[in-house]
């Protein structure tokens, strides 16, 4: 009789779906959050590329010059095209604009990040005159929420991701 009762209890599978879901729920939720965050990072990256191209076009055509636009105004032009990010855009944005005489003179600019922090001395704002070659580099600091995702992305010491956009072009002869 006892053997039969033990057999009946072992055969009972009520609640097994709940137990199995409890075991799988943690990794499933982590994967969903990681996918959503990666999608947001790609969205920010594409938005930053587009905003950088539009702001750089104003340099290329002579609408933005060293005399009529400060670095903060240039940042604002980029953030205006990424308005869905809200008010924190300008504070998270770093701009490096350099000009050269020819494409052959393009050299490796100093790295913007050293020891996990942006180095303000390595960022310049030099808008060239007509027919000058321009290098525009834009860096956006994106806070990561999902743990372990920062290992695959370039990051700062505070574990925020760094999203970059670049544009290289020759100014029109204005």
């Amino acid at each position: 009789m006892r053997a039969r009762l033990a057999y009946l209890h072992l055969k009972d599978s009520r609640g097994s779906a709940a137990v199995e879901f409890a075991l799988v729920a943690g990794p499933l939720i982590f994967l969903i959050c990681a996918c959503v965050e990666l999608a947001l990072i790609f969205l920010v990256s594409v938005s930053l590329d587009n905003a950088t191209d539009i702001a750089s076009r104003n340099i290329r055509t002579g609408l933005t010059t060293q005399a009529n636009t400060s670095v903060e105004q240039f940042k604002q032009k980029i953030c205006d095209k990424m308005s869905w990010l809200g008010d924190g855009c300008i504070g998270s944005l770093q701009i490096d604009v350099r000009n050269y005489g020819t494409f052959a003179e393009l050299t490796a600019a100093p790295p913007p990040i050293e020891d996990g922090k942006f180095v303000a001395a390595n960022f310049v704002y030099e808008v060239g005159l007509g027919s000058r070659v321009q290098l525009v580099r834009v860096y956006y600091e994106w806070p990561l929420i999902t743990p372990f995702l920062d290992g695959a992305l370039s990051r700062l010491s505070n574990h925020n991701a760094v999203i970059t956009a670049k544009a290289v072009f020759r100014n029109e002869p204005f």
Side-chain angles (χ1 to χ4, degrees):
M1 183 71 164
R2 283 187 174 183
R4 181 160 172 78
L5 282 175
Y7 175 73
L8 288 175
H9 285 300
L10 289 175
K11 192 175 178 185
D12 190 10
S13 63
R14 289 178 292 170
S16 64
V19 171
E20 289 171 359
F21 181 74
L23 293 172
V24 174
L28 178 67
I29 291 171
F30 171 76
L31 286 174
I32 290 171
C33 289
C35 287
V36 168
E37 187 161 33
L38 278 174
L40 281 172
I41 289 171
F42 284 127
L43 181 61
V44 171
S45 178
V46 169
S47 296
L48 186 63
D49 280 340
N50 185 45
T52 301
D53 286 343
I54 291 170
S56 296
R57 187 175 301 126
N58 289 340
I59 293 175
R60 184 172 39 248
T61 59
L63 294 174
T64 297
T65 64
Q66 189 80 32
N68 71 5
T69 307
S70 69
V71 68
E72 291 302 320
Q73 290 170 324
F74 191 71
K75 282 183 180 183
Q76 187 62 52
K77 286 182 181 187
I78 292 174
C79 286
D80 286 347
K81 300 300 180 192
M82 298 175 24
S83 59
W84 63 273
L85 288 172
D87 297 334
C89 177
I90 290 182
S92 299
L93 203 62
Q94 299 291 332
I95 305 289
D96 185 43
V97 179
R98 298 172 186 268
N99 75 74
Y100 302 92
T102 65
F103 285 104
E105 292 176 13
L106 280 172
T107 59
I113 301 170
E114 291 177 6
D115 298 325
K117 296 183 191 286
F118 284 114
V119 180
N122 292 348
F123 290 94
V124 297
Y125 183 69
E126 301 171 342
V127 178
L129 299 174
S131 300
R132 297 285 293 179
V133 174
Q134 291 287 158
L135 169 64
V136 178
R137 301 185 305 170
V138 180
Y139 301 91
Y140 189 83
E141 185 176 345
W142 180 260
L144 293 174
I145 299 167
T146 309
F148 310 115
L149 197 58
D150 61 349
L153 302 168
S154 60
R155 59 195 157 121
L156 300 173
S157 59
N158 61 3
H159 300 289
N160 287 350
V162 178
I163 301 170
T164 64
K166 296 177 185 175
V168 179
F169 52 90
R170 181 182 300 278
N171 287 345
E172 293 179 4
F174 48 85

